[in-house]
Amino acid sequence: MGSVAHQAADAGQHCFHCTLPISATEKVDAEIDGRVQSFCCNGCRAVCEAIYNAGLEGFYRRTPEGTPLGPPPELPQELGFYDLDEVQEEFVDDLGEVRDINLLVDGIHCAACVWLIENSLHAMPGVTQARVNLSGRKLHITWDNSRRKLSSIIGRLGQIGYSAVPYDPDTAEGRINRQNRNLLYRMAFAGFTMMNLLWISIALYSGADKGEFRTLFHWVGFALATPTLLYSGYPFYKGAWSGLRNLHLGMDLPIAIGASVTYLYSIYVMLSGSPAGEVYYDTVVNFLFVILVGRYLEALSKTQAVASTQRLLDLQPRVVTLLRQGAEKIVPIRSVKPGDTILVKPGERIPVDGLIREGNSSVDEAILTGESGGVGKNIGDPVSAGTINGTGALVITVEGVLKNTALGRIIRLVEEAQASKAPIQCMADRVVPWFVAVTIGLATVTFIWWLERDLETALMAATAVLIITCPCAFGLATPMAIAVASGLGARHGILVRNGEVLEALSAINHFVFDKTGTLTEGRMRVTSVLTGSENWSVGDAAMGAETRDVLQQLAALERYSEHPIAAAVIASVEDAGLSIPASAVEEFEYRPGFGIGALLQGRRVVAGTAAWMVDRGVSLNPHFDSESARLEALGIGCLRFAVDGEERAVIALEDRVREDAPALIDALKRDGMDVTLLSGDRRTAAEMIARRLGGMQVIAEVLPEQKDQVIGGLQADNQRVAMVGDGVNDAPALVRADVGIALGSGTDVSIASADIILISSELEKVRLAAALSRRTLRTIRQNIGISITYNLIMVPLAMMALITPLVAAVSMPISSLLVIANAARIRTLFKTAI
């Protein structure tokens, strides 16, 4: 508020905060800055006290005179209700000290709102992170619950002009539709008024402005324009005031100033009766209508652009058939708990993650794996929420529901990515306030320049500058591209954690691949066993006694290991129809990358690499050395086996190369990327695998704990490195790399450490992820270019008085729609890439 408004307030005529008239029955007095002031309600009193207590009373001095403020928004009832763990468990994953939640926020419509909310909350002790998803109107908050309660965060949002509730998909959809419908009503009202004002304008332009009806037409125009400005223009005034209260120049400010100045000038001409001036009520209403049309189209475009997340949410059934004491009961999915038993009938979508307890069927898992066709499921097999049951009925024991399912985690990753900011967006957010300041400065210069000619030209030119330079397109440039890209990636089995990852991946010039389980199938199998007197290979009719003894002793040892080699040895014993000795294993030892050893029936048994044999005092057999060299030259791994210091056998283990691996390596090399194979195998074996893949750099004989050091060394050589892996031992390297990419078939640790997760484990998705990142960054740059080019062309024209405010209002939303349409073009990527 300006000083005049507050002088009136001081006289007791209006509320000191919002300047609305004060009812004698509702008057509230309070001491503000040493003086007793009057307020229309306790809400205005509380907001004013908060502003003065924070030392921000300068907000009032910076408010343009005559600009009214609405009272603060109504906060959700029973705010403390949201502090209860029983309530938060529906919306919060971990009820520990540090918690995070998504809030649905009313009133977010531009990048200025994003800046205002994030900076206001970051200033609160206990709030560690606040990120706004502009396209979804959601706020992701991370806070220390021991220092800050959720109710106080929601209360702070209310103080700065926003109403928030915990995010629920159904509530969110209804609220967003309600906001869009409210915008439509304001637009329709402005459109109705505009059509009626056109008749007034036609009469004035046809000569009535010089006749006896001039004053009448002016008052009719005033009667039509005033409610339009107050109702249809309310969102702009609300946004402008929110920015000013927090010392931030928002995108709504130029629009509010332009509409207000044009309206007030028209009132001046009308009341003064000056024959030289013209009223511009039609201009005010027309450009409000056109801008609201643009805002409404933007809202619809945003909804469509991020519809991928909603389509994922729609895959979660709302109800489930619960089996309890032999009876079927339809219950809401939220009431189901782990350990419950449910029934899924043929053709139904599976609502939970769980294990099949009864029945068998074929399940369509395309939503998770991207692979068409059903997957056979039997008793004991896992099933996932969102997949479709085939022809059989399934009784399932529940293991996870809602956000604790694989589908729920996918949705969460997509939402986090859409809410995140790439570094280029952070730069854009910093530019926006200066952009608005420059806009107001240019409008002021334009007004002063044309004022020497006449007031009307100066007013119209300055208003056109204010409207046409609204930086909405600049603010939308990055979040729309990230929202579309993350949603598109999720639909194709590529989960991106945040927008920064997309920008980092677009700059990658070196891909490093773990060998086992990434470029190879990760399912090793024993192909041959060479002992002192026998040489057995897969396909031989019989297995000699010495070979059986070696494999059985080795299996007894390997059952204590989770390494792929252990699984291969145990599988070979079972396939041969042999039993694994139940002998007690003592003094078991395991060294990653080398081997294992233990006491088995009082004998020292050792298995692993040649170096491990030497380290454990085993005398190497030259016969086995030559066999190992031969196998490694063929790219086949070797496991040396010894008992009581004497080497007894060499076991050949082969892990087949994935069918799609050579094509991926070739495609990356054609794109100009450096490609490296990272392996703990002997160099000769690793180089053979590399030759099968079409040739690539090889870094071999690397211990698990050295992998991240290798990545660090490449980065020290100014390489931008992406690491692709799937195992526990890949986790440090995935974290160290500029971008970590984990296969969905990998371990939980590797997936948790990665920046990008490929759900289906198809290696082709690595190339598609890189292509998606490059397209996204290119789109962001194009969007920023569109915004800048538009302003470089249109602002000079407006300053030269060659563009009217109405033309400016038509042009301004077009730039935003161009940005949204360009972002939506990202969705065509996979149509050409696949």
Side-chain angles (χ1 to χ4, degrees):
M1 228 125 322
S3 57
V4 175
H6 276 78
Q7 289 169 8
D10 292 342
Q13 300 173 355
H14 298 84
C15 174
F16 180 74
H17 173 68
C18 71
T19 72
L20 293 177
I22 299 176
S23 169
T25 59
E26 297 179 353
K27 180 180 177 183
V28 177
D29 291 331
E31 183 175 322
I32 303 293
D33 198 25
R35 298 176 61 187
V36 176
Q37 306 292 358
S38 298
F39 300 89
C40 65
C41 64
N42 282 313
C44 286
R45 175 194 58 78
V47 171
C48 184
E49 287 179 343
I51 290 174
Y52 271 84
N53 290 339
L56 302 175
E57 61 273 11
F59 291 156
Y60 294 111
R61 292 193 298 272
R62 291 175 172 83
T63 307
E65 292 185 9
T67 302
L69 278 181
E74 289 188 21
L75 294 176
Q77 295 182 350
E78 302 294 340
L79 208 55
F81 177 74
Y82 292 120
D83 294 332
L84 300 176
D85 288 349
E86 293 80 2
V87 175
Q88 289 190 17
E89 67 180 357
E90 279 197 46
F91 309 101
V92 177
D93 284 336
D94 183 5
L95 292 175
E97 283 193 4
V98 178
R99 304 181 180 185
D100 63 275
I101 193 172
N102 283 312
L103 300 177
L104 186 66
V105 184
D106 260 338
I108 297 177
H109 63 81
C110 67
C113 300
V114 174
W115 185 95
L116 172 61
I117 292 171
E118 290 180 351
N119 284 273
S120 296
L121 296 184
H122 280 144
M124 298 181 71
V127 175
T128 58
Q129 188 180 65
R131 293 186 311 189
V132 173
N133 178 354
L134 175 62
S135 54
R137 297 168 189 171
K138 287 180 291 188
L139 168 65
H140 182 79
I141 288 284
T142 303
W143 82 101
D144 186 340
N145 198 57
S146 63
R147 299 175 58 201
R148 172 72 55 185
K149 295 301 180 183
L150 179 60
S151 57
S152 67
I153 296 174
I154 297 176
R156 175 57 179 158
L157 287 169
Q159 291 176 350
I160 61 175
Y162 301 92
S163 177
V165 292
Y167 173 71
D168 176 78
D170 294 330
T171 304
E173 186 176 5
R175 186 165 297 213
I176 289 172
N177 289 337
R178 195 160 56 248
Q179 289 175 348
N180 289 348
R181 188 165 57 248
N182 183 38
L183 195 59
L184 180 63
Y185 289 157
R186 296 181 190 277
M187 181 185 73
F189 186 84
F192 171 79
T193 310
M194 180 187 71
M195 289 186 288
N196 285 277
L197 266 175
L198 285 176
W199 294 110
I200 306 297
S201 301
I202 290 172
L204 291 172
Y205 294 147
S206 300
D209 60 330
K210 295 180 172 57
E212 57 184 310
F213 297 107
R214 169 188 164 99
T215 302
L216 173 63
F217 283 131
H218 283 181
W219 279 102
V220 172
F222 169 78
L224 290 170
T226 301
T228 305
L229 185 66
L230 295 177
Y231 176 65
S232 298
Y234 173 74
F236 307 112
Y237 286 109
K238 180 182 178 183
W241 172 243
S242 294
L244 287 172
R245 282 200 309 170
N246 291 272
L247 298 179
H248 177 67
L249 300 178
M251 297 179 183
D252 288 321
L253 184 60
I255 297 174
I257 293 175
S260 299
V261 171
T262 307
Y263 174 77
L264 292 173
Y265 173 75
S266 299
I267 291 178
Y268 163 76
V269 172
M270 180 183 70
L271 295 178
S272 67
S274 170
E278 299 288 349
V279 295
Y280 291 96
Y281 295 124
D282 57 335
T283 300
V284 173
V285 172
N286 287 355
F287 84 67
L288 280 177
F289 171 71
V290 172
I291 292 173
L292 285 170
V293 169
R295 283 272 171 98
Y296 182 68
L297 292 176
E298 283 180 27
L300 293 181
S301 299
K302 289 176 185 176
T303 302
Q304 294 170 1
V306 299
S308 297
T309 308
Q310 188 58 47
R311 284 194 289 271
L312 288 172
L313 290 169
D314 291 341
L315 294 174
Q316 290 189 317
R318 301 291 190 265
V319 296
V320 60
T321 303
L322 183 66
L323 297 179
R324 186 165 289 167
Q325 297 178 345
E328 297 181 13
K329 184 180 180 181
I330 305 297
V331 299
I333 184 65
R334 289 187 182 277
S335 65
V336 176
K337 300 289 189 293
D340 287 345
T341 302
I342 67 167
L343 172 66
V344 180
K345 299 175 182 178
E348 289 185 344
R349 199 173 287 278
I350 297 174
V352 300
D353 281 6
L355 295 176
I356 296 177
R357 182 173 173 178
E358 297 177 21
N360 57 76
S361 182
S362 175
V363 176
D364 182 355
E365 297 183 334
I367 179 62
L368 296 179
T369 65
E371 299 173 3
S372 59
V375 178
K377 296 290 184 177
N378 298 296
I379 294 175
D381 288 341
V383 290
S384 300
T387 57
I388 301 174
N389 185 23
T391 57
L394 297 176
V395 175
I396 298 171
T397 300
V398 178
E399 291 190 332
V401 296
L402 296 173
K403 58 179 174 286
N404 294 319
T405 64
L407 180 61
R409 288 187 287 271
I410 290 172
I411 293 171
R412 183 174 180 81
L413 282 171
V414 173
E415 290 179 340
E416 287 178 353
Q418 291 178 342
S420 67
K421 294 184 178 182
I424 194 170
Q425 182 183 352
C426 297
M427 178 273 292
D429 288 347
R430 290 193 297 270
V431 168
V432 165
W434 296 101
F435 196 108
V436 175
V438 170
T439 295
I440 295 173
L442 289 175
T444 303
V445 170
T446 302
F447 181 82
I448 295 172
W449 176 268
W450 287 104
L451 188 59
E452 297 180 1
R453 178 173 174 177
D454 65 83
L455 178 60
E456 288 189 13
T457 301
L459 180 64
M460 292 298 101
T463 302
V465 172
L466 286 171
I467 297 168
I468 210 162
T469 54
C470 181
C472 297
F474 197 73
L476 286 170
T478 299
M480 285 307 305
I482 289 177
V484 173
S486 55
L488 177 68
R491 286 174 55 198
H492 289 82
I494 302 169
L495 298 184
V496 183
R497 287 199 183 276
N498 53 60
E500 185 176 353
V501 171
L502 286 170
E503 185 169 344
L505 184 57
S506 67
I508 292 297
N509 56 19
H510 197 143
F511 280 85
V512 176
F513 291 88
D514 174 56
K515 181 180 76 70
T516 304
T518 303
L519 293 176
T520 62
E521 293 179 350
R523 294 191 299 269
M524 304 192 78
R525 60 193 185 106
V526 175
T527 57
S528 67
V529 178
L530 176 66
T531 66
S533 59
E534 297 174 359
N535 189 356
W536 172 85
S537 297
V538 171
D540 289 353
M543 183 182 290
E546 190 175 7
T547 301
R548 290 198 302 270
D549 181 54
V550 167
L551 288 177
Q552 285 180 300
Q553 289 187 73
L554 187 56
L557 204 61
E558 293 285 11
R559 62 182 172 167
Y560 291 91
S561 172
E562 295 182 355
H563 196 279
I565 290 178
V569 170
I570 293 172
S572 69
V573 170
E574 292 175 346
D575 290 344
L578 303 175
S579 61
I580 300 176
S583 308
V585 173
E586 301 174 352
E587 300 180 17
F588 180 84
E589 57 180 337
Y590 166 58
R591 184 175 175 188
F594 284 91
I596 59 176
L599 282 177
L600 183 64
Q601 295 180 329
R603 307 178 70 184
R604 174 66 62 181
V605 180
V606 179
T609 64
W612 179 248
M613 297 288 112
V614 173
D615 187 68
R616 287 295 170 266
V618 175
S619 300
L620 297 180
N621 188 317
H623 178 55
F624 295 142
D625 282 340
S626 61
E627 175 66 6
S628 295
R630 184 187 71 82
L631 292 171
E632 289 174 355
L634 296 173
I636 300 173
C638 298
L639 183 68
R640 312 287 283 264
F641 178 77
V643 178
D644 288 338
E646 180 185 353
E647 192 169 14
R648 296 273 307 276
V650 171
I651 297 93
L653 298 131
E654 189 172 7
D655 187 7
R656 288 184 296 182
V657 171
R658 287 177 181 256
E659 291 183 1
D660 54 351
L664 169 65
I665 301 303
D666 180 62
L668 290 175
K669 289 195 294 187
R670 280 190 280 107
D671 289 341
M673 302 291 172
D674 291 330
V675 186
T676 295
L677 173 66
L678 187 62
S679 174
D681 292 348
R682 295 284 297 272
R683 172 164 288 277
T684 51
E687 288 177 343
M688 176 57 70
I689 295 292
R691 284 194 291 272
R692 290 186 193 174
L693 293 167
M696 57 196 298
Q697 300 176 43
V698 174
I699 301 178
E701 301 180 35
V702 178
L703 298 176
E705 61 269 23
Q706 296 174 333
K707 288 186 176 182
D708 70 313
Q709 298 173 17
V710 171
I711 299 298
L714 294 173
Q715 291 171 324
D717 291 335
N718 296 319
Q719 299 282 315
R720 302 283 294 176
V721 182
M723 172 71 189
V724 186
D726 74 327
V728 173
N729 56 16
D730 296 325
L734 291 170
V735 173
R736 175 67 68 90
D738 296 287
V739 176
I741 302 175
L743 304 187
S745 59
T747 63
D748 290 342
V749 175
S750 64
I751 290 173
S753 303
D755 302 304
I756 295 176
I757 300 145
L758 308 180
I759 299 176
S760 66
S761 298
E762 296 175 18
L763 287 177
E764 171 65 6
K765 297 294 174 66
V766 173
R767 184 182 66 83
L768 293 180
L772 178 64
S773 69
R774 291 194 295 271
R775 169 68 74 87
T776 303
L777 195 65
R778 185 165 70 247
T779 299
I780 291 172
R781 289 169 175 161
Q782 289 171 350
N783 286 348
I784 292 175
I786 289 171
S787 176
I788 293 174
T789 302
Y790 160 83
N791 284 286
L792 288 176
I793 294 173
M794 301 303 287
V795 172
L797 293 177
M799 294 182 70
M800 294 164 64
L802 298 176
I803 292 178
T804 65
L806 179 58
V807 173
V810 172
S811 303
M812 188 268 288
I814 289 177
S815 64
S816 296
L817 293 175
L818 284 174
V819 163
I820 294 172
N822 191 46
R825 287 177 57 243
I826 294 175
R827 288 185 285 194
T828 65
L829 171 65
F830 289 166
K831 295 178 182 178
T832 58
I834 294 179

